[in-house]
Amino acid sequence: MAQRLTRRGPLSRQEIVLLALEVAEAEGVEKLSLHKVAAAAGVRTMSLYNHIRDKDDVLDAMADTILRRVGIGDTDAPEWSDALRQLAFAFRAAALEFPRSAPLVLTRRMNAPAGLPLVEAALRVLRRAGLEPPAAVHVLRSFIAFLIGTLSREVGTAPSYAAVIPEVVTSRAADLATSGYPAVAAAAAELSVCDHEAELRFGLDLLIEGVRRRTEPAA
């Protein structure tokens, strides 16, 4: 089928990326193609190459665009623990604004300029908590790994094992008592459901408590 052209006016890289996000949110990232983006822009596919290198370039730019939507806010004013929670939930909000494209933020390598504001804000918060740069970097990496893992589960990109546990527990609840897995049986009610926001808050509390233990003077 011939591509229908309706374009009026110049095309830009930013417009291509935003249109790619629209297509991905409508159809899923796995079905995204440059042909579909070009059709949405009203141009021939080859016209995109005046502004992008290839599909990977578009995917990286989509991830960067979502990352730049993180509302960092003023992280110097609140208590450091509240500022860290604020960053975590801002990151989550940006990812969930584009739920079908969010896996790109969680799985692709970001360009440094897109991630630096978030890294800077987090390190400033951790320095205010009393951590020296080496320890702050270790905590930052743990913080990022925790966020990626938690959000991967929420947007459906975590390994199938993590996703299937609630279903298995629910379907086999009656058999668990004699299954030989007493710890699983005892926690069956909790394993069968997952409140993503509550899980994020719980994990953040653990991380913050760990930072406090490292920075408080020994008794």
Short mmCIF file of all heavy atoms in Angstrom, two decimals, residues 54 84 90 142 197 214:
data_model
loop_
_atom_site.label_atom_id
_atom_site.label_comp_id
_atom_site.label_asym_id
_atom_site.label_seq_id
_atom_site.Cartn_x
_atom_site.Cartn_y
_atom_site.Cartn_z
N ASP A 54 18.65 5.85 12.84
CA ASP A 54 17.96 4.58 12.63
C ASP A 54 16.92 4.41 13.73
O ASP A 54 16.71 5.32 14.55
CB ASP A 54 18.95 3.41 12.61
CG ASP A 54 19.89 3.42 13.81
OD1 ASP A 54 19.51 3.95 14.88
OD2 ASP A 54 21.02 2.91 13.69
N LEU A 84 14.52 12.18 48.91
CA LEU A 84 14.81 10.94 48.19
C LEU A 84 13.52 10.26 47.75
O LEU A 84 13.42 9.75 46.63
CB LEU A 84 15.64 10.01 49.09
CG LEU A 84 16.37 8.87 48.37
CD1 LEU A 84 17.41 9.43 47.40
CD2 LEU A 84 17.04 7.95 49.39
N ALA A 90 8.82 10.83 41.58
CA ALA A 90 8.86 11.61 40.35
C ALA A 90 9.30 10.72 39.18
O ALA A 90 8.77 10.81 38.06
CB ALA A 90 9.80 12.80 40.50
N SER A 142 22.45 1.61 44.25
CA SER A 142 21.44 0.75 44.86
C SER A 142 20.04 1.34 44.66
O SER A 142 19.07 0.61 44.39
CB SER A 142 21.72 0.58 46.36
OG SER A 142 22.94 -0.07 46.57
N GLU A 197 2.64 0.68 44.65
CA GLU A 197 3.03 1.89 45.38
C GLU A 197 3.48 1.54 46.79
O GLU A 197 4.48 2.09 47.28
CB GLU A 197 1.86 2.88 45.43
CG GLU A 197 2.24 4.18 46.12
CD GLU A 197 1.17 5.26 46.02
OE1 GLU A 197 0.38 5.22 45.05
OE2 GLU A 197 1.14 6.13 46.89
N ARG A 214 24.31 4.18 58.47
CA ARG A 214 25.68 4.46 58.06
C ARG A 214 26.15 5.84 58.52
O ARG A 214 27.34 6.09 58.65
CB ARG A 214 25.85 4.34 56.55
CG ARG A 214 25.69 2.94 56.00
CD ARG A 214 26.03 2.91 54.53
NE ARG A 214 27.46 3.20 54.31
CZ ARG A 214 28.40 2.28 54.20
NH1 ARG A 214 28.10 0.98 54.29
NH2 ARG A 214 29.65 2.61 53.99
#
